[in-house]
Amino acid sequence: CLLLVDSSESMQYGSVDAKKGGRTKFEYGCSLAACLAYLLLRQQDAVGLIRFDQSVRTVLPPRAARHQLHDILAALYAASAEGKTSMLDVLKRAAEVQPKKGLIVLISDLFADRASLFQGLKLLRHAGHEVLVFHLLDDEELDFQSSGMTRYEGLEELDQLVCDPRALREGYIAALQEFLDEVRRGCARQMVDYQVVRSSENLDAVLAKYFSMRLGLGKRRA
């Protein structure tokens, strides 16, 4: 298994105060990747890691060695979220790092060019890999429940915007749904497993859903 963790600047976002248990998307993504690595290594599966933004920043080839979990944790928690996201080059590199057929897990908010994302997913599928996408989004990004005049600071070089979010909510929700539908359809076309994950969700619930899906997939293929 190869875990791909997005550390682009948009992954810095987190709408809940850290003192109340809130985490940025990047922090949540690191925790999710760490849990997956632990569980898979317990099964004696080989696990690797790629951390990326606009380019690949960290590469740990898949191994089942006892020290691999320590190396993955060190790579994740020494990192910070920065830069833009470039999916195609990252997914091409993933195919190089894991040349044998296997499972590739992408953990990202997918705020990148969708054409390059779908092209990269197609490349991985044609190489025979199983691919799982955890589409990680914050509650506020999904629900847009803010009220009163609010200043939004763009990430990845976007400008600031001061507005009353109630006036924008209907259009925002429609645009968000279009975005999610586009990604879901693009993944379905490539037979890529796709799961939207809220950064407020308990990790055990996310992992239970994942393993339930994997079990069902195994039964269908059997």
Side-chain angles (χ1 to χ4, degrees):
C1 175
L2 184 61
L3 305 172
L4 313 182
V5 179
D6 184 352
S7 64
S8 61
E9 192 173 1
S10 64
M11 293 288 284
Q12 287 184 8
Y13 184 72
S15 62
V16 181
D17 192 327
K19 294 180 180 178
K20 299 178 181 178
R23 287 173 284 189
T24 66
K25 290 182 290 184
F26 178 61
E27 290 169 340
Y28 188 98
C30 287
S31 297
L32 178 56
C35 289
L36 283 169
Y38 172 76
L39 292 170
L40 292 168
L41 287 166
R42 282 283 301 269
Q43 299 179 168
Q44 299 184 331
D45 291 335
V47 182
L49 172 73
I50 288 180
R51 182 182 66 84
F52 68 93
D53 43 54
Q54 61 187 356
S55 60
V56 171
R57 301 297 180 184
T58 302
V59 176
L60 293 175
R63 294 190 180 93
R66 297 177 65 180
H67 61 78
Q68 185 74 344
L69 180 62
H70 175 272
D71 292 346
I72 289 173
L73 293 176
L76 286 172
Y77 292 104
S80 60
E82 57 186 340
K84 295 184 178 182
T85 312
S86 178
M87 284 292 183
L88 180 56
D89 291 343
V90 170
L91 297 179
K92 283 181 178 178
R93 184 65 184 279
E96 296 169 356
V97 173
Q98 183 160 311
K100 295 182 179 179
K101 296 178 182 180
L103 174 64
I104 294 180
V105 180
L106 173 61
I107 301 172
S108 171
D109 57 15
L110 303 182
F111 290 156
D113 178 63
R114 256 82 77 198
S116 70
L117 168 65
F118 299 146
Q119 189 177 351
L121 293 176
K122 182 178 181 179
L123 181 152
L124 292 178
R125 291 293 294 134
H126 280 187
H129 297 293
E130 294 181 39
V131 184
L132 169 64
V133 174
F134 284 117
H135 191 174
L136 181 54
L137 294 168
D138 186 86
D139 282 356
E140 182 61 20
E141 291 173 326
L142 287 165
D143 302 328
F144 205 61
Q145 294 288 0
S146 297
S147 60
M149 293 302 294
T150 304
R151 184 180 70 183
Y152 293 93
E153 296 185 2
L155 298 172
E156 301 189 14
E157 300 183 1
L158 298 176
D159 294 331
Q160 294 183 358
L161 174 67
V162 178
C163 66
D164 183 349
R166 290 173 298 185
L168 301 177
R169 187 174 188 275
E170 183 176 349
Y172 173 87
I173 293 297
L176 173 67
Q177 192 58 54
E178 182 179 351
F179 166 53
L180 294 177
D181 288 344
E182 180 185 2
V183 174
R184 188 177 293 108
R185 287 193 299 267
C187 288
R189 281 195 297 270
Q190 301 303 330
M191 298 183 67
V192 167
D193 295 323
Y194 171 77
Q195 185 174 329
V196 175
V197 177
R198 290 176 176 265
S199 58
S200 62
E201 284 188 73
N202 290 330
L203 284 168
D204 57 353
V206 175
L207 292 168
K209 189 185 301 183
Y210 160 70
F211 283 109
S212 175
M213 179 183 66
R214 297 291 299 169
L215 180 62
L217 182 63
K219 288 180 178 178
R220 290 197 299 274
R221 288 177 176 168

